[in-house]
Amino acid sequence: GKEGHEFIVTRPETPRPWFNYLFNDVYHALVSQTGGGYSYYKDPKYYRLLRYDHISTDRPGRYLFLKDRATGDVWSANWQPLRQELESWECRHGLGYTTITSTHKGIRATITYLVTQRDPVELWSVRLKNVGRRRRTVQAFPFVEFVAGEGEVVCARADAISFVAPGVVEDRLARTAHGICQADRRAKTIQVEE
């Protein structure tokens, strides 16, 4: 950034992932410019929480899938893993946070990932804004792939169907959280309905 407090990535496809390390005394999260990366509690070997393959794909990661209810159009606000063309995209790695902002067909999504100062938690702050001219109804589907302990022991995985039709995978291991968002053309902000 202008003051030298942020590292700004202006395109999602880079030769290697650009990581930010978000951490406190007990929780650690590595977040790439597209939301890839993993997290762990105290020790990365024994208490890994998110699965990740940084060598070949920068996936899986922390993703926010959005779906236009009227058209059925599905996209990732992060760019990964769908890798669709977005109208705009930017990642800002700062001290203690990573923010990804993208726009797709008139919906601007801003996701900020951060770790609190003391608690073993990772927070996602999501803001959706309708920058288009028509009223929109958008569903939001956060996604992560959990592991238990060592990186190879997968305990919760939503398969590819959840990328296309979130909520379809209903078994006890795959969980998809979602909220329905209503975009108001006049205010140009999206209100989340529970």
Side-chain angles (χ1 to χ4, degrees):
K2 292 179 182 175
E3 295 89 31
H5 299 286
E6 294 179 322
F7 185 83
I8 301 170
V9 183
T10 57
R11 54 181 266 251
E13 200 165 11
T14 56
R16 301 287 290 163
W18 287 89
F19 285 104
N20 195 3
Y21 296 85
L22 311 176
F23 61 93
N24 58 31
D25 289 342
V26 293
Y27 185 87
H28 306 261
L30 285 76
V31 181
S32 79
Q33 82 279 4
T34 61
Y38 63 94
S39 62
Y40 58 91
Y41 175 74
K42 294 185 179 180
D43 186 306
K45 181 173 182 182
Y46 298 109
Y47 301 110
R48 178 92 51 103
L49 300 171
L50 299 184
R51 188 172 99 75
Y52 181 67
D53 174 15
H54 75 285
I55 303 299
S56 60
T57 64
D58 189 27
R59 288 183 254 179
R62 306 150 174 86
Y63 305 126
L64 181 67
F65 294 100
L66 300 172
K67 181 178 181 180
D68 186 312
R69 294 206 39 202
T71 66
D73 186 27
V74 176
W75 69 98
S76 170
N78 304 69
W79 183 75
Q80 282 277 34
L82 301 177
R83 302 175 76 157
Q84 293 165 300
E85 187 171 333
L86 300 168
E87 294 164 23
S88 66
W89 180 94
E90 178 184 79
C91 173
R92 292 176 172 262
H93 286 315
L95 185 60
Y97 68 91
T98 290
T99 299
I100 299 170
T101 303
S102 67
T103 304
H104 179 74
K105 296 185 179 178
I107 299 294
R108 179 177 303 131
T110 303
I111 311 162
T112 299
Y113 304 101
L114 59 104
V115 171
T116 66
Q117 290 183 358
R118 287 186 296 259
D119 300 315
V121 297
E122 175 179 321
L123 301 176
W124 300 14
S125 173
V126 176
R127 181 171 184 206
L128 302 175
K129 184 174 183 180
N130 183 357
V131 295
R133 296 183 179 186
R134 63 184 172 90
R135 184 177 176 92
R136 305 283 292 278
T137 302
V138 176
Q139 288 179 292
F141 302 91
F143 173 88
V144 298
E145 188 170 322
F146 292 103
V147 297
E150 295 182 29
E152 300 302 315
V153 183
V154 177
C155 72
R157 182 177 179 161
D159 60 24
I161 189 92
S162 67
F163 295 146
V164 179
V168 171
V169 179
E170 297 291 338
D171 67 35
R172 66 183 176 83
L173 296 179
R175 306 191 194 293
T176 304
H178 67 278
I180 298 173
C181 304
Q182 295 286 333
D184 178 29
R185 181 173 60 90
R186 291 181 308 272
K188 293 195 177 181
T189 59
I190 295 179
Q191 327 259 307
V192 176
E193 294 179 350
E194 303 251 328

